[in-house]
Amino acid sequence: MEKESYDLLFKLILIGDSCVGKSNILLKYLKNEFDPNSRATVGVEFGTKNIIINNKKIKIQIWDTAGQERYRSITSAYYKGAKGALIVYDITRKCTFDNIDKWISDLKLNGDKNICIVILGNKSDLDDKREVSKGEGIKKSEMYKTAFLETSALNGDNIGKAFDEIIDQIIQNNKSFFEDNNKKEMDKGVNLNDSSKDNDKKKCCLAS
Ligand code: GTP
Ligand code: MG
């Protein structure tokens, strides 16, 4: 079998409480699908996507972890080497939002020091069942100096943007590699929204 070649490998992890929608966020991003009856993830699963940015071929490897407490020791072992983490909560369950603090500490303990973070308030389509306001989400992200978005894996709102955001932030951390120009190109079949115009990026790295 021919060996796959790429210039850079970005490892991303999806973390957060069980049932917040991590697996569906990944499913939407990779296949534009949604599963209303998805089963809880056992351990860790992963998916990949190839993108081309500034003529560099980048392989994005996304690890979807189980949110259930019993898998915690297995899943945290997968944080190592991840350049970015998407921490997900469910806007209709306040406890999943409160647990963001726990996920951040877990990352500090088990993840790389300069890991980029985006906090996602998922299930934004269920606004009538909302227990966490957008303002509370923004406040938390400001506290941790991370980016923040409300997403819906059901209707796709901000899903592409969430991955765009974290990839852009990782690129900022690998600037020398991308210095040639600012043009962002899409690989065949990849549907990332172009957020290169958004210059108002927040700092995303965990303070040591
Ligand atoms: P674990 O694997 O146990 O950690 O859960 P998970 O975070 O991967 O959650 P999963 O993606 O399996 O979704 C849990 C449930 O929420 C499923 O019934 C999904 O269909 C539903 N769900 C996920 N995302 C959304 C969303 O954006 N909106 C709505 N309405 N439901 C969603
Ligand atoms: Mg899952």
Side-chain angles (χ1 to χ4, degrees):
M1 209 168 75
E2 202 183 316
K3 204 176 164 225
E4 193 189 6
S5 72
Y6 47 83
D7 299 309
L8 263 187
L9 174 73
F10 285 175
K11 176 180 173 182
L12 306 181
I13 46 171
L14 269 161
I15 59 175
D17 284 7
S18 185
C19 224
V20 296
K22 299 179 296 297
S23 298
N24 272 280
I25 286 173
L26 186 58
L27 187 64
K28 194 72 179 180
Y29 179 61
L30 296 179
K31 296 187 175 169
N32 198 22
E33 289 172 12
F34 177 78
D35 181 1
N37 306 309
S38 65
R39 297 229 182 111
T41 303
V42 173
V44 178
E45 292 169 2
F46 87 97
T48 60
K49 191 160 192 159
N50 294 323
I51 60 169
I52 294 177
I53 298 174
N54 290 7
N55 298 319
K56 309 275 197 274
K57 189 170 175 189
I58 303 171
K59 188 182 180 77
I60 312 282
Q61 190 181 67
I62 308 153
W63 293 81
D64 171 26
T65 66
Q68 287 177 358
E69 187 69 39
R70 65 181 134 147
Y71 298 115
R72 190 65 62 87
S73 61
I74 303 170
T75 55
S76 58
Y78 284 84
Y79 295 2
K80 216 165 168 42
K83 289 188 162 48
L86 300 124
I87 309 182
V88 187
Y89 68 90
D90 175 350
I91 66 150
T92 71
R93 282 188 298 143
K94 175 83 162 42
C95 59
T96 66
F97 175 72
D98 294 337
N99 279 337
I100 293 284
D101 302 327
K102 210 170 70 179
W103 290 107
I104 297 254
S105 325
D106 206 26
L107 266 186
K108 280 194 180 180
L109 206 64
N110 299 294
D112 292 9
K113 209 175 122 206
N114 291 324
I115 193 164
C116 290
I117 300 173
V118 175
I119 295 176
L120 303 180
N122 191 42
K123 307 198 186 178
S124 60
D125 55 285
L126 298 175
D127 201 42
D128 50 331
K129 297 197 178 113
R130 183 187 280 277
E131 287 185 1
V132 185
S133 71
K134 194 170 176 182
E136 286 174 288
I138 292 170
K139 209 166 149 197
K140 179 90 81 184
S141 68
E142 284 173 352
M143 191 173 106
Y144 288 116
K145 296 188 168 54
T146 72
F148 170 78
L149 283 169
E150 284 198 345
T151 54
S152 169
L154 178 79
N155 63 26
D157 276 1
N158 280 342
I159 298 294
K161 204 168 169 197
F163 285 92
D164 251 8
E165 176 71 38
I166 201 144
I167 291 164
D168 278 354
Q169 291 188 0
I170 294 168
I171 288 169
Q172 296 299 315
N173 284 3
N174 292 271
K175 235 176 179 163
S176 59
F177 191 79
F178 291 92
E179 243 151 30
D180 356 29
N181 58 62
N182 287 319
K183 216 163 136 256
K184 189 170 181 178
E185 294 172 45
M186 304 303 151
D187 196 7
K188 251 204 310 204
V190 176
N191 184 23
L192 288 174
N193 299 323
D194 185 1
S195 60
S196 56
K197 293 169 222 83
D198 181 7
N199 295 319
D200 191 25
K201 291 271 173 287
K202 285 187 205 163
K203 280 199 81 174
C204 62
C205 300
L206 272 181
S208 49

